[in-house]
Amino acid sequence: MKHRIFAAALLAGLSAGVGAASGALTVASFPDLDRAVKTALPLWQKTHPEIPVKLVSLQIEDHHNSMTTALAAGARLPDVMAIDFGYIGIFAESKGLEDLLQAPYGAGQYRKQFVSYTSAQATGSRGNLAALPADIGPGLLFYRKDLLDKAGVGEAELTRSWESYIEAGRKLKAATGVYLLSRAADLKDIYIRANLKDGEGLYFGDKGRVLVDTPRFARAFELAKAARAAGIDAKTVLWTSEWSEGFKRDKVASQMMGSWLSGHLSKWLAPGSAGKWRAAPLPGGALASYGGSFYAIPKKAANKEAAWEFIKFMTINKEVQLNALREIAAYPALTAAHADAAMDEAQPYFGGQKTRLLARDAAARIPVIRVDKYDTMANEVVNAELDKVLVQNKDIKTALQDAKDLIERRARR
């Protein structure tokens, strides 16, 4: 509740303190994407000195809740709204955002400049383009080479297959007491995203059909349960202090997530572990998209012309895209950036490994993933059922059927 009150207060200040009256451009964002804006501002101010920028940042859930409320009320809206991949389906269906395909924007001319699947994700059922992509999240496996070396575990054992990954965790735990992963649910999160077909959704198929009772989800739950049974996960909750401490205190040896996690590791989660981490493809040759960010313009924004210039600056400016890659490891959605020499730069934090090449290879092969306005809700329901499987030993088939039933009921409301 405190977070929501704080968010409302900030947005009230955003509305009253800046906007058309002051001539400032208001940008609402969230960590760590807000840092991409901060690092780009010197260049923006150099090229657009007449347009000052006011950045307002809230934690990711608070930000999206506040934006949802503001759009519904049609008030206290920023000029530019950042949107995380996990929420783009909801916002693409919103009637409170500008359709960037329409005049005066004409964003259709830029679509081919981005990774192909990003435009599809930001396109609503009305054919409207709600946002332009800033970055994407090719899935990678990050691991502590030094800790695995102590257990005699090599990268090949981590990546050969999902079963091999879990067995490597057993060897690591037995030899060092270190957990291979922070939470068993990580396996589920990656697996349900892995090797989808073009146009397939995470949770929903054609005509809104719920997919959570399919073999893909059953296998994801089985892997998570196997990891818990093997005792190789630290049983922490994602993004909590306990979760982050696992990396700082050398208690967790790997994490599967989007390539952007490399920036979190080096700047926040484990800055003291420079040179000890490495990156690898996901187990079993899996390909998965995990995250990404977009920028949109509310219909009731005060400074739409300046907002559009800022969005283009953040998304189709190669220099800005590469700067975000270097500063926060945000992998560019702009394909022109993929051919830049920056991709071949050795990364000292990863022992000189050229980690961006791994992300580039994955990004080139990841399919188009359909998003749905109910994805966030479905994710919450599935996670709740997985907890029952892991903690209460609930039958997986029953859990997935219960998840499907609840998702269908909530989607019909």
Side-chain angles (χ1 to χ4, degrees), residues 18-46:
V18 295
S22 67
L25 179 74
T26 62
V27 179
S29 190
F30 50 88
D32 210 12
L33 186 63
D34 55 356
R35 200 149 58 85
V37 174
K38 292 174 185 176
T39 59
L41 284 182
L43 180 59
W44 170 263
Q45 291 162 355
K46 182 179 179 180

Side-chain angles (χ1 to χ4, degrees), residues 216-295:
R216 172 163 56 96
F217 278 83
R219 176 65 169 153
F221 272 46
E222 288 166 0
L223 289 171
K225 185 174 182 179
R228 176 60 55 84
I232 65 171
D233 79 300
K235 301 180 183 179
T236 57
V237 178
L238 194 63
W239 306 121
T240 62
S241 58
E242 184 183 13
W243 176 79
S244 62
E245 284 298 309
F247 300 108
K248 289 185 176 73
R249 299 183 181 277
D250 302 341
K251 298 297 184 183
V252 175
S254 77
Q255 180 70 51
M256 287 179 283
M257 204 167 274
S259 59
W260 44 264
L261 185 71
S262 60
H264 285 6
L265 287 169
S266 61
K267 304 289 186 181
W268 165 46
L269 292 173
S273 300
K276 299 176 181 179
W277 284 87
R278 298 291 187 273
L282 294 172
L287 295 170
S289 176
Y290 199 114
S293 308
F294 300 79
Y295 288 110

Side-chain angles (χ1 to χ4, degrees), residues 291-333:
S293 308
F294 300 79
Y295 288 110
I297 303 174
K299 286 185 177 179
K300 294 192 176 182
N303 301 304
K304 294 180 185 178
E305 182 177 354
W308 178 231
E309 289 304 311
F310 186 81
I311 288 177
K312 289 189 292 182
F313 172 79
M314 294 299 297
T315 60
I316 63 175
N317 185 310
K318 180 180 172 182
E319 182 179 350
V320 172
Q321 287 266 293
L322 291 173
N323 188 53
L325 174 67
R326 292 188 173 103
E327 291 294 325
I328 65 169
Y331 194 80

Side-chain angles (χ1 to χ4, degrees), residues 147-153 168-178:
L147 297 178
L148 291 170
D149 284 348
K150 291 180 180 178
V153 175
R170 287 195 182 95
K171 290 175 63 175
L172 175 70
K173 187 67 166 24
T176 67
V178 174

Side-chain angles (χ1 to χ4, degrees), residues 78-100:
D79 298 308
V80 176
M81 178 189 300
I83 304 173
D84 180 74
F85 168 81
Y87 298 84
I88 190 62
I90 297 174
F91 285 94
E93 293 301 323
S94 170
K95 295 183 179 179
L97 297 178
E98 290 285 284
D99 180 357
L100 300 182

Side-chain angles (χ1 to χ4, degrees), residues 5-169:
I5 293 173
F6 181 52
L10 269 178
L11 286 170
L14 183 154
S15 177
V18 295
S22 67
L25 179 74
T26 62
V27 179
S29 190
F30 50 88
D32 210 12
L33 186 63
D34 55 356
R35 200 149 58 85
V37 174
K38 292 174 185 176
T39 59
L41 284 182
L43 180 59
W44 170 263
Q45 291 162 355
K46 182 179 179 180
T47 56
H48 298 82
E50 77 285 3
I51 308 176
V53 173
K54 173 71 174 181
L55 175 64
V56 177
S57 182
L58 299 172
Q59 291 302 314
I60 188 167
E61 184 177 351
D62 294 326
H63 165 78
H64 289 94
N65 286 339
S66 296
M67 292 299 96
T68 300
T69 300
L71 284 172
R76 297 177 177 174
L77 286 160
D79 298 308
V80 176
M81 178 189 300
I83 304 173
D84 180 74
F85 168 81
Y87 298 84
I88 190 62
I90 297 174
F91 285 94
E93 293 301 323
S94 170
K95 295 183 179 179
L97 297 178
E98 290 285 284
D99 180 357
L100 300 182
L101 293 176
Q102 303 303 314
Y105 310 108
Q109 63 185 303
Y110 303 116
R111 274 179 156 175
K112 291 184 179 180
Q113 296 186 37
F114 300 110
V115 174
S116 61
Y117 59 79
T118 55
S119 291
Q121 292 168 347
T123 300
S125 59
R126 305 183 306 279
N128 58 300
L129 183 65
L132 285 189
D135 56 74
I136 58 177
L140 295 177
L141 167 62
F142 298 95
Y143 68 92
R144 279 283 298 271
K145 185 178 185 302
D146 60 323
L147 297 178
L148 291 170
D149 284 348
K150 291 180 180 178
V153 175
E155 181 180 299
E157 293 177 75
L158 293 180
T159 61
R160 184 179 303 121
S161 67
W162 297 103
E163 291 80 10
S164 179
Y165 176 82
I166 293 173
E167 182 56 34

